[in-house]
Amino acid sequence: MTPPEIDDIHRLRVMAAGVRGATVVERTLPAPFEEVWPLMSALDFLPDLRHTRLLHSDGDRIELLARSKYGFRAHLRGFRRPGWCWLQSRFLLVGLAAAPVPGGTRIALTGGVRIPTRAAVLPFGTHPELTTATTRLASRVTGHQ
């Protein structure tokens, strides 16, 4: 018997389950994956990020420098491929996933300020921040159609 396929949304839930304090916010957007993912993977819909600059890319491995609206910098390393992005620095975690569903695209976000040397994020304010991010992305997707 072949095990069932795990889509990127489920993969994000599993990864977040291993990070103390992490929460996952999900939403279905009424747009095809091919329109949603490029907007998502640009990361500029995240409320705290003001600017990102790609430093290195090798296949699905990426490294970028991010600056927050408060002036903080993060040197993020991780993976990005269609439907999946997991980035972390010493102090920041960003997880994104998207999967096509009937009538649109299911998206999921997790992340927050990391506790250095631990698989944990500060749980304060992450759910509202992630909910704001999904709303911002939804408005960009509907404005893009």
Side-chain angles (χ1 to χ4, degrees):
M1 182 176 200
T2 306
E5 282 286 319
I6 296 176
D7 71 11
D8 290 325
I9 302 290
H10 291 105
R11 182 176 288 112
L12 185 78
R13 285 189 207 128
V14 169
M15 293 287 288
V19 178
R20 183 182 296 162
T23 186
V24 176
V25 172
E26 297 182 39
R27 183 172 181 171
T28 299
L29 302 178
F33 175 85
E34 297 77 21
E35 289 180 26
V36 173
W37 184 248
L39 295 171
M40 246 182 120
S41 65
L43 303 176
D44 62 351
F45 70 97
L46 297 171
D48 186 38
L49 291 184
R50 187 182 75 200
H51 175 74
T52 60
R53 187 177 87 222
L54 183 65
L55 298 175
H56 181 74
S57 177
D58 183 15
D60 64 355
R61 293 179 183 263
I62 66 168
E63 188 175 334
L64 56 91
L65 186 63
R67 186 174 296 269
S68 80
K69 65 183 179 182
Y70 305 109
F72 298 114
R73 292 184 302 166
H75 189 161
L76 295 157
R77 293 179 177 93
F79 300 89
R80 180 177 61 190
R81 62 176 179 263
W84 174 257
C85 182
W86 187 269
L87 301 167
Q88 56 188 43
S89 73
R90 185 171 175 204
F91 296 107
L92 187 63
L93 170 69
V94 176
L96 313 171
V101 294
T105 302
R106 187 84 181 149
I107 63 166
L109 309 172
T110 192
V113 176
R114 288 186 64 204
I115 299 171
T117 71
R118 300 184 69 195
V121 295
L122 296 174
F124 311 109
T126 56
H127 192 273
E129 183 92 359
L130 294 169
T131 301
T132 298
T134 61
T135 301
R136 289 177 67 168
L137 180 62
S139 70
R140 290 182 184 191
V141 167
T142 56
H144 209 243
Q145 294 178 346

